[in-house]
């Protein structure tokens, strides 16, 4: 569990997210009363490159707590006895002119560049600084405490850096006084076949301006989801005839890029989809294309083979990555929040690409904490913000590079002598002080930097241009029937008893795999009890070890068990969030060996084949149980009722149904097809081509009225504006995943009012999850913490709440 002080220190992701986006709030309308979210623009709204960074930090901590080496906060106060004991020692250190601030955060300077965490041990803190701290807190001879003007740790480090790197002294002033030239929207280009909207013409002009101005070679286009970032970028890519350009996108979006290029451009744009086993190996060929489109996993995989090698005849052989060899004209990261964790392999692989201009596209530039923005700044190699500077000499580097002796390969000084400018100027003060004092100053600097590197417009600001219809969100609450309740209650009692005994023995973390599975089962049971009671006959080699479903974007652990990539990430994240530090290790839910898995490995292909019912895979529940005796569930019937009502009102209304469980989608498919609905499916067991074919069919076939989509595979990056209804069948821990899903239909090209229905079983864990979401949201909104990272994760407290009888 995080300490209160730790929580206090964190800057709010929520606040920043809020700063960036005013999303329609999800209203809990148990009585099915609907709420309209007006998209009328406020009078003064309009395209602007500035982002409002004005969080409500009224209750932020005002004290400058000191961080001890073990991360616990204390003050420099000490007992008089202790002070006397240290008297002599102190005198010796007078000449070192150390101040209490030296002792404040000595380890802050020695960031592990990869994760931003402190890496030095207690032993690394010079003793003199401890003594100096004691001296500072002791009364002087007149009985008063010494009060000297104090420089914070970060300010001192900044001063040290400036003495070696004088150019750093004026960085912020230069940025502040920079002549911000007025940006005039471009004219409609003749190479684009569709009329760009006014804010899009402005967006392209801003991108061109960024490239022409020498300060930043690119930037972040962060318009809200569905406002046409792809089209704006495409217009930029074709604004000169320079090539080759590289687009990196999630697998689900690469075909969409291809389609947009074909649909919206007149010239014969030469494109290559660099993905799959048939991709070209020729550098010359790739360099001949205008635009090369690839996926994060392909790019990451190539980089890994280059850096770490690949096993051939029991030897590791390193292979040059074609993508990293070419010098691209522009590099575009679509859904750039994929690299928000600067230490993940995708991020590292992106940082190492070479190009003249680097662009990040994302509707959610900040999901959890301010630190995530570093990845985007680092990707565009913003100078000096992304660089490390040595405090002892003029050494400056973009890559953290230390040899085995832990000395810099450039200057031989130690890691702790090197400081990331971003960490010292922005991240640390905000983490420490929130939005007061130096924290506020740092927040202003961040805003200034974003003003110069990021363009963000919301749907609300551009409502006049977009002309989007209103969006309504409702919650439909049902209760289990008697049979379901019996199964669920027995499952819940058993699992709660089990959980409580782990709690009593203090072994929650040792049994984390078990608990995670129990939670999943209860969530599945709320969809349909069969998902839990008919699990036995599953071939464990072909299902995810966490959700027991056909694995989506399957990945393998070192112990060779298979998992959905989404499940494994959630499992690892939640365990890490426990932060109990009692030596427990995360175990594989299948074999209980230590769980080691590369979360960013390319998906493995599994041959699941087809069973008796050809439309379903061999492992599908439909092929494992006797469907002639099958009975539906409350959730499925509620969905059926909603869809039937829609169909009787209008036969042309199309709906999207999201669930996290592929087997549940199979059961829904079975039920709805038998009731005459023409259903289409998309999940993470399908190849990009199959996914695209499903999307095309749904978008163009008038009779295809229901699209069943797995939230893990289709929650982001899709355009599904043919539909105007969304049903979210099971609540997710993180509400932002649900918001992303909703925006698949509330986007440009949507002309009908949009209605979202969240389906909840009232007497089940689902209503508790919704309460938990509300609780976390309230915590986030009302406390100083405002760090939304908790949204994605489960604490022991959360588990206690979920299992309370
Ligand atoms: N000027 C325009 N005229 C007509 N359609 C447009 C225009 N601009 C964009 N669109 C369409 O709007 C839809 C949304 O655009 P796009 O997918 O680029 O949004 P996005 O901002 O990238 O969203 P996300 O962040 O969800 O990926 C697409 O179908 C696109 O073809």
């Amino acid at each position: 569990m995080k300490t209160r002080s730790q929580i206090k220190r964190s800057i709010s992701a929520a606040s920043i997210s809020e700063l960036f986006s005013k999303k329609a709030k999800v209203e809990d309308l148990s009585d099915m009363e609907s709420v309209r979210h007006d998209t009328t623009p406020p009078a003064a709204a309009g395209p602007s490159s500035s982002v409002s960074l004005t969080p409500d930090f009224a209750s932020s901590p005002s004290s400058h707590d000191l961080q001890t080496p073990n991360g616990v906060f204390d003050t420099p106060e000490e007992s008089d006895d202790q002070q006397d004991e240290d008297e002599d020692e102190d005198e010796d250190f007078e000449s070192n002119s150390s101040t209490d601030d030296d002792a404040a955060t000595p380890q802050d300077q020695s960031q592990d560049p990869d994760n931003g965490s402190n890496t030095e041990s207690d032993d690394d803190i010079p003793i003199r600084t401890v003594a100096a701290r004691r001296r500072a807190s002791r009364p002087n001879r007149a009985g008063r405490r010494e009060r000297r003007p104090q420089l914070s740790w970060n300010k001192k480090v900044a001063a040290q850096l400036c003495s070696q790197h004088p150019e750093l002294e004026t960085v912020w002033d230069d940025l502040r006084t920079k002549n911000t030239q007025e940006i005039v929207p471009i004219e409609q280009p003749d190479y684009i076949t569709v009329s760009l909207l006014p804010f899009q013409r402005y967006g392209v002009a801003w991108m061109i301006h960024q490239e022409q101005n020498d300060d930043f070679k690119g930037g972040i286009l962060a318009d809200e989801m569905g406002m046409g970032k792809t089209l704006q970028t495409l217009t930029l890519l074709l604004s000169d005839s320079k090539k080759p350009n590289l687009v990196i996108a999630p697998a689900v979006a690469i075909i969409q890029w291809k389609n947009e290029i074909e649909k919206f451009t007149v010239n014969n744009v030469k494109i290559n989809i660099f993905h799959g086993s048939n991709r070209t190996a020729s550098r010359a060929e790739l360099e001949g294309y205008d635009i090369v489109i690839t996926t994060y996993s392909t790019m990451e995989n190539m980089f890994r083979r280059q850096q770490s090698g690949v096993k051939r005849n029991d030897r590791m052989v390193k292979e040059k990555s074609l993508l990293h060899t070419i010098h691209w004209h522009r590099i575009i990261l679509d859904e750039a929040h994929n690299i928000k964790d600067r230490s993940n392999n995708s991020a590292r692989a992106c940082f190492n690409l070479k190009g003249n201009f680097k662009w990040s596209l994302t509707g959610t530039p900040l999901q959890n904490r301010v630190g995530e923005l570093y990845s985007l700044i680092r990707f565009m190699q913003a100078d000096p913000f992304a660089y490390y500077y040595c405090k002892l000499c003029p050494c400056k580097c973009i890559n953290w590079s230390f040899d085995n002796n832990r000395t810099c390969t450039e200057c031989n000084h130690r890691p702790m002598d090197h400081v990331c400018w971003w960490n010292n100027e922005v991240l640390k003060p905000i983490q420490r002080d929130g939005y007061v004092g130096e924290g506020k100053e740092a927040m202003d600097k961040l805003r200034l930097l974003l003003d110069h590197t990021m363009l963000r417009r919301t749907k609300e600001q551009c409502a006049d241009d977009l002309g989007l219809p209103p969006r309504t969100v409702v919650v439909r609450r049902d209760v289990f029937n008697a049979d379901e309740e019996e199964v669920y209650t027995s499952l819940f009692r058993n699992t709660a008893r089990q959980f409580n005994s782990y709690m009593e023995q203090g072994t929650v973390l040792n049994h984390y795999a078990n608990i995670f599975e129990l939670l999943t089962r209860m969530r599945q049971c709320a969809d349909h009890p069969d998902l839990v009671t008919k699990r036995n006959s599953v071939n464990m080699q072909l299902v995810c070890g966490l959700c027991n479903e056909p694995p989506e974007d399957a990945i393998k652990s070192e112990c060779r068990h298979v998992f959905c990539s989404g499940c494994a990430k959630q499992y690892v994240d939640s365990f890490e969030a426990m932060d109990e530090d009692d030596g427990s290790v995360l175990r594989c839910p299948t074999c209980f060996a230590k769980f080691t898995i590369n979360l960013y490995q390319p998906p493995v292909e599994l041959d699941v084949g087809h069973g008796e019912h050809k439309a379903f895979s061999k492992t599908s529940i439909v092929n494992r149980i006797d469907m002639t005796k099958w009975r539906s569930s409350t959730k499925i019937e509620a969905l059926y009722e909603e869809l039937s009502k829609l169909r009787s009102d209008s036969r042309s209304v199309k709906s999207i149904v999201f669930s996290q469980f592929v087997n549940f989608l199979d059961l829904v498919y079975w039920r709805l097809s038998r009731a005459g609905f023409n259903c289409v499916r998309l999940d993470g067991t399908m190849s990009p081509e199959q996914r695209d074919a499903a999307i095309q069919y749904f978008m163009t076939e008038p009779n295809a009225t229901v699209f069943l989509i797995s939230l893990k595979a289709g929650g982001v990056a899709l355009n599904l504006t043919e539909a105007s209804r969304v049903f979210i069948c099971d609540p997710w821990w993180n509400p932002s995943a649900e918001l992303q899903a909703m925006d698949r239909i509330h986007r440009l090209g949507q002309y009908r009012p949009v209605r979202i229905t969240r389906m909840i079983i009232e007497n089940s864990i689902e209503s508790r999850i919704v309460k938990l979401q509300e609780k976390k949201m309230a915590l986030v909104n009302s406390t100083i913490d405002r760090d939304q990272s908790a949204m994605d994760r489960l604490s022991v407290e959360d588990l206690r709440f979920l299992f309370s009888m």
Side-chain angles (χ1 to χ4, degrees), residues 188 192 194-200 221-232 253 256-257 260 263-264 334-335 337 361-364 466 699 715-721 740 743-744 747-751:
Q188 171 69 34
I192 294 288
V194 68
S195 285
L196 293 173
L197 298 171
F199 78 90
Q200 294 176 329
L221 182 59
D223 291 342
E224 261 190 328
M225 291 155 295
M227 292 172 61
K229 292 186 284 292
T230 315
L231 180 60
Q232 292 174 73
Q256 204 147 310
W257 267 88
E260 294 250 321
K263 191 163 119 198
F264 291 144
D334 192 15
E335 309 291 345
H337 45 264
L361 314 183
T362 169
T364 47
L466 291 165
M699 294 293 274
V716 292
L718 293 180
N719 277 316
L720 300 169
T721 45
Q740 272 273 6
D743 273 351
R744 297 309 101 211
R747 54 205 292 116
L748 261 171
Q750 181 56 267
Y751 303 104

Side-chain angles (χ1 to χ4, degrees), residues 484 526-528 531 630-643 663-672 729 759 761:
E484 289 167 337
D527 277 346
H528 196 304
L531 299 179
W630 179 74
R631 285 168 64 190
S632 186
S633 71
T634 301
K635 184 75 75 67
I636 295 179
E637 289 311 296
L639 180 65
Y640 167 73
E641 185 186 304
E642 293 278 337
L643 291 170
N663 274 328
F664 179 64
L665 290 176
D666 282 354
L667 291 179
V668 172
Y669 185 93
W670 177 274
R671 169 73 175 98
L672 294 181
C729 288
M759 319 272 298
I761 297 290

Side-chain angles (χ1 to χ4, degrees), residues 37-42 459-464 467-471 746:
H37 299 280
D38 196 358
T39 50
T40 321
K459 286 180 185 161
E460 193 177 307
Q461 286 172 328
C462 301
D464 276 353
L468 279 179
R471 183 178 74 177
H746 194 238

Side-chain angles (χ1 to χ4, degrees), residues 45-244:
S48 150
S49 64
S50 65
V51 173
S52 165
L53 284 173
T54 49
D56 172 13
F57 277 96
S59 46
S60 289
S62 55
S63 65
H64 291 230
D65 290 338
L66 300 181
Q67 189 179 13
T68 60
N70 59 8
V72 179
F73 286 72
D74 62 7
T75 68
E77 300 292 331
E78 288 205 349
S79 76
D80 286 347
D81 290 348
Q82 184 65 54
Q83 287 158 13
D84 290 340
E85 262 175 50
D86 294 328
E87 189 133 17
D88 295 341
E89 200 183 12
D90 288 354
E91 293 308 321
D92 293 342
F93 300 120
E94 195 83 342
S95 57
N96 286 330
S97 63
S98 255
T99 70
D100 52 326
D101 285 318
D102 284 310
T105 52
Q107 76 281 46
D108 275 5
Q109 64 182 324
S110 54
Q111 292 292 300
D112 174 347
D114 294 338
N115 58 22
S117 65
N118 299 322
T119 54
E120 299 297 320
S121 71
D122 300 14
D123 301 340
D124 297 315
I125 299 167
I127 298 168
R128 67 185 169 85
T129 60
V130 176
R133 181 169 63 172
R134 289 170 180 157
R135 186 170 56 74
S137 63
R138 177 176 11 132
N140 64 15
R141 289 194 204 292
R144 283 178 292 128
R145 290 200 181 275
E146 272 180 44
R147 292 254 180 258
R148 284 177 296 153
Q150 293 175 359
L151 274 184
S152 71
W153 178 260
N154 299 86
K155 294 272 184 203
K156 279 186 161 188
V157 170
Q160 283 172 310
L161 291 180
C162 288
S163 70
Q164 295 295 338
H165 309 269
E167 74 277 13
L168 292 176
E169 235 159 78
T170 55
V171 168
W172 298 110
D173 286 342
D174 291 349
L175 210 52
R176 218 165 274 126
T177 53
K178 194 160 260 331
N179 197 1
T180 41
Q181 193 186 318
E182 197 196 338
I183 294 169
V184 181
I186 60 157
E187 294 294 323
Q188 171 69 34
D190 53 8
Y191 54 85
I192 294 288
T193 57
V194 68
S195 285
L196 293 173
L197 298 171
F199 78 90
Q200 294 176 329
R201 288 193 283 110
Y202 177 91
V204 180
W206 176 80
M207 292 173 100
I208 292 171
H209 167 82
Q210 283 293 110
E211 292 190 351
Q212 285 170 351
N213 136 3
D214 261 355
D215 298 329
F216 301 100
K217 296 287 184 193
I220 307 162
L221 182 59
D223 291 342
E224 261 190 328
M225 291 155 295
M227 292 172 61
K229 292 186 284 292
T230 315
L231 180 60
Q232 292 174 73
T233 309
L234 198 51
T235 312
L236 172 78
L237 289 177
L238 303 180
S239 63
D240 52 34
S241 49
K242 303 214 174 109
K243 60 183 180 183

Side-chain angles (χ1 to χ4, degrees), residues 516 544 546-547 563-572 712 732:
F516 201 86
C544 164
L546 284 157
C547 67
F563 300 90
C564 302
S565 141
C567 286
K569 278 183 191 136
Q570 163 86 20
Y571 181 54
V572 172
K712 289 178 212 150
W732 186 236

